Amino acid sequence: MVAYSPYIILSMTFFFYAMKGKDYGIKGFLYHQFVEYLEFFGITLAFLAWVLRRKVPFKVTPKRKGRVSLRVIMPHLSILILLIISIVKGTLELSTTSDMLLVYSIYVNLFWAFYQSFFLSGSILFAVKMGGEEEANLVKEKT
């Protein structure tokens, strides 16, 4: 974690500096991260379709509040379950190993598993909460 902390702190500092003058805040930051996690599979599949030169039909979604399709969040749920299993397994491994290099490696992996789990959980909750509802612009200029 010592190796990644400067990167995370520096990244967040630059990000918040870039957002200075905008009414963004922690709520806007979290919404942004949750939406990015939700978009990941769709964007990746679109990229693969482009690389393979395949046409993918574009569906227009209704703009009213509706139920969330399990198909949309199933990849996220699958990865979240795998992350939770890896957190449990990593925690159990910590109690059985005495190799310091392995302990350090497990701590780094646990850190990233918790980090990803937080944002995946948030994106799933965000998708369920928002449904088909459109949110107003979350980044506003300060007046």
Side-chain angles (χ1 to χ4, degrees):
M1 290 190 299
V2 174
Y4 294 111
S5 296
Y7 167 75
I8 291 172
I9 291 168
L10 198 59
S11 302
M12 296 302 287
T13 303
F14 283 136
F15 174 75
F16 284 114
Y17 178 76
M19 294 307 292
K20 196 166 111 178
K22 305 203 181 334
D23 189 19
Y24 190 69
I26 296 297
K27 183 178 178 181
F29 170 75
L30 289 174
Y31 278 171
H32 179 203
Q33 294 300 311
F34 296 158
V35 169
E36 280 191 7
Y37 272 73
L38 287 172
E39 293 174 341
F40 175 74
F41 287 103
I43 290 172
T44 302
L45 291 175
F47 174 73
L48 289 174
W50 176 77
V51 167
L52 298 173
R53 298 185 188 273
R54 294 191 177 172
K55 297 269 184 185
V56 178
F58 179 76
K59 295 180 182 176
V60 177
T61 56
K63 300 299 181 209
R64 66 193 184 304
K65 182 148 177 91
R67 294 178 54 156
V68 175
S69 170
L70 187 60
R71 184 174 164 245
V72 172
I73 60 173
M74 191 53 130
H76 302 84
L77 284 171
S78 302
I79 291 177
L80 182 61
I81 290 167
L82 290 173
L83 283 170
I84 291 170
I85 291 169
S86 70
I87 289 170
V88 170
K89 184 172 179 354
T91 304
L92 293 174
E93 286 288 325
L94 277 176
S95 64
T96 61
T97 188
S98 59
D99 182 11
M100 285 310 293
L101 186 59
L102 186 57
V103 168
Y104 175 75
S105 300
I106 292 171
Y107 275 125
V108 169
N109 284 295
L110 283 173
F111 170 78
W112 284 112
F114 275 114
Y115 181 85
Q116 299 296 329
S117 297
F118 172 75
F119 286 111
L120 269 175
S121 301
S123 67
I124 292 166
L125 292 173
F126 182 76
V128 169
K129 177 186 169 219
M130 298 306 286
E133 181 179 311
E134 295 239 357
E135 183 69 22
N137 186 5
L138 296 173
V139 179
K140 299 173 187 149
E141 295 290 332
K142 280 188 178 176
T143 53

